[in-house]
Amino acid sequence: LTKYDPKYPYIGTTYRVTEHWQTGLMTRHMDWLLELEPQIFAEIDKELAKEKGIKIDTSVEDDFRNFLMNVSHVREEEVKTASSIGGGIDLLGLIKAKLGLEATTRETIRKELTLKITELIGRINNLIIEIEEKSKKKIVIIADDLDKLTRYVQAEEFFYKNHRLLTQISAHAIYTFPISLGFDVKFPHVANAFDDYFTIPQVPPFKKDGDIWNDGFEFYKNVVAKRMDLDLVEKDALKEAIMSTGKLSEFISIIRESCIYAHRRRDNKIRVEDVRKALDKLRTFYSRTLTEEHMEVLRSVYKTKEARDRGVEDRVVRDLLFSLMLVEYKVDEELWYEVNPLLIPIVKREE
């Protein structure tokens, strides 16, 4: 962002801590991790603050800190263990009690945050005002990883029910969201609450007619080149991996798995057979979750290159987009939908 607009040289963003992945969307449902780090917090680098002469008003900082402490503090009652007939510890009872307390801890924190979310935003805005006034700079907040919400319903609830709260932060903010939400009838209404929205399709290795798209092919090839020597993988093996996957994370996973297979064979190069083993493994994983209803939609999209649910309550297409079994591609302003290339052999076999 600094490169394009010097008015915003500093970025406020989320980041991971030891106990949680990024904002905690994928880890805060685990009780033991939530207990280890229940608090949310905001920081500014001490060196940056010193360099810019930024000294946050103590009352603002204390108010924010106290709020977080009050929300995250949950008192667990002492677990009383029952004695067994033989005078020992009732281990099963202890485990059940502990699990119950963990669930209570998690639920209590969530309820408190839900009730006090408006207060939290107010305190965040106080901090933003204080920092911007002292630094004479504008803040840009990037809330990344929201597109990785684990369930469609979870993503829908977060954006559609809380979008007004997301726009109340007194700074420029960027939120990521799952592409499947753009297919909901509520999306146009919610989108109007924000200044703008952008859709970022997956990078396709081929064009709509199936021919190789050189820009896309080179993109995936360069991803490998930045991580390993291209001499370590056969050209045909690399091509097989690129043309058989339709999303970056999946492609990287295939290359990594192929490395393991080559290493097991004590070979110093990834061969086509290694890539095919990795593809078959991932393909089998996906195929176990496919229903006949899914297959019907996948067959239709494969033929028409279009994706559309049959009705408002029908979510098959949105579910497939959310899981990236269907992908949105764009080349030279031409937009189309495609079955994840990994699944195309399954679709062809079922025709």
Side-chain angles (χ1 to χ4, degrees), residues 153-196:
V153 174
Q154 190 180 40
E156 184 181 48
E157 181 174 344
F158 182 84
F159 282 98
Y160 289 160
K161 293 185 179 180
N162 300 293
H163 67 278
R164 295 294 179 190
L165 289 172
L166 298 179
T167 60
Q168 288 177 16
I169 294 179
S170 300
H172 295 284
I174 299 172
Y175 302 100
T176 60
F177 68 94
I179 195 170
S180 52
L181 291 185
F183 285 71
D184 198 291
V185 292
K186 296 185 284 293
F187 180 74
H189 169 70
V190 173
N192 287 332
F194 297 87
D195 293 329
D196 206 347

Side-chain angles (χ1 to χ4, degrees), residues 43-293:
E43 294 180 316
I44 181 173
D45 182 73
K46 290 182 178 180
E47 294 299 320
L48 176 61
K50 184 177 179 181
E51 175 189 332
K52 298 300 178 182
I54 301 172
K55 185 173 177 59
I56 305 299
D57 188 327
T58 315
S59 63
V60 175
E61 185 178 4
D62 290 345
D63 178 60
F64 189 77
R65 191 184 304 277
N66 290 336
F67 172 80
L68 294 180
M69 289 179 65
N70 290 334
V71 167
S72 61
H73 177 68
V74 178
R75 181 180 180 181
E76 287 192 2
E77 295 182 359
E78 183 179 355
V79 180
K80 295 181 179 180
T81 58
S83 297
S84 65
I85 296 176
I89 298 296
D90 181 2
L91 184 58
L92 181 59
L94 176 61
I95 292 173
K96 288 181 177 179
K98 180 60 178 172
L99 289 175
L101 285 173
E102 286 179 348
T104 301
T105 300
R106 178 180 62 188
E107 198 60 33
T108 302
I109 291 177
R110 287 177 176 171
K111 284 181 179 178
E112 288 193 33
L113 276 175
T114 300
L115 292 172
K116 298 182 179 180
I117 191 68
T118 303
E119 293 181 48
L120 173 61
I121 290 176
R123 285 168 168 81
I124 290 175
N125 287 337
N126 288 340
L127 276 176
I128 290 171
I129 293 170
E130 184 70 17
I131 293 171
E132 288 187 343
E133 284 184 352
K134 296 293 174 63
S135 66
K136 306 302 179 185
K137 301 291 183 180
K138 292 293 184 181
I139 290 177
V140 176
I141 298 174
I142 302 176
D144 195 9
D145 265 1
L146 298 180
D147 55 315
K148 297 182 179 67
L149 289 167
T150 54
R151 297 184 301 276
Y152 179 83
V153 174
Q154 190 180 40
E156 184 181 48
E157 181 174 344
F158 182 84
F159 282 98
Y160 289 160
K161 293 185 179 180
N162 300 293
H163 67 278
R164 295 294 179 190
L165 289 172
L166 298 179
T167 60
Q168 288 177 16
I169 294 179
S170 300
H172 295 284
I174 299 172
Y175 302 100
T176 60
F177 68 94
I179 195 170
S180 52
L181 291 185
F183 285 71
D184 198 291
V185 292
K186 296 185 284 293
F187 180 74
H189 169 70
V190 173
N192 287 332
F194 297 87
D195 293 329
D196 206 347
Y197 71 92
F198 303 91
T199 302
I200 306 176
Q202 295 286 330
V203 178
F206 46 77
K207 299 179 182 178
K208 186 176 181 180
D209 59 10
D211 290 341
I212 292 178
W213 183 45
N214 290 329
D215 289 352
F217 189 90
E218 288 300 314
F219 167 80
Y220 286 102
K221 184 178 177 180
N222 288 333
V223 167
V224 177
K226 290 180 181 296
R227 290 162 173 79
M228 61 185 286
D229 190 332
L230 289 180
D231 289 337
L232 296 174
V233 54
E234 286 183 336
K235 288 185 178 180
D236 287 345
L238 181 58
K239 182 178 179 181
E240 180 102 5
I242 292 174
M243 299 304 293
S244 300
T245 53
K247 56 180 181 175
L248 184 57
S249 60
E250 204 170 75
F251 173 68
I252 292 174
S253 175
I254 292 299
I255 295 297
R256 183 173 58 244
E257 194 75 16
S258 300
C259 285
I260 295 172
Y261 287 132
H263 180 70
R264 287 174 180 171
R265 293 189 298 100
R266 300 184 183 279
D267 198 339
N268 61 357
K269 183 172 286 193
I270 296 174
R271 313 286 180 182
V272 172
E273 62 183 275
D274 301 315
V275 171
R276 288 178 178 170
K277 279 185 179 180
L279 289 169
D280 286 341
K281 180 180 178 181
L282 189 55
R283 191 176 291 125
T284 300
F285 172 78
Y286 273 124
S287 66
R288 290 194 184 108
T289 67
L290 291 172
T291 66
E292 182 53 42
E293 196 172 19

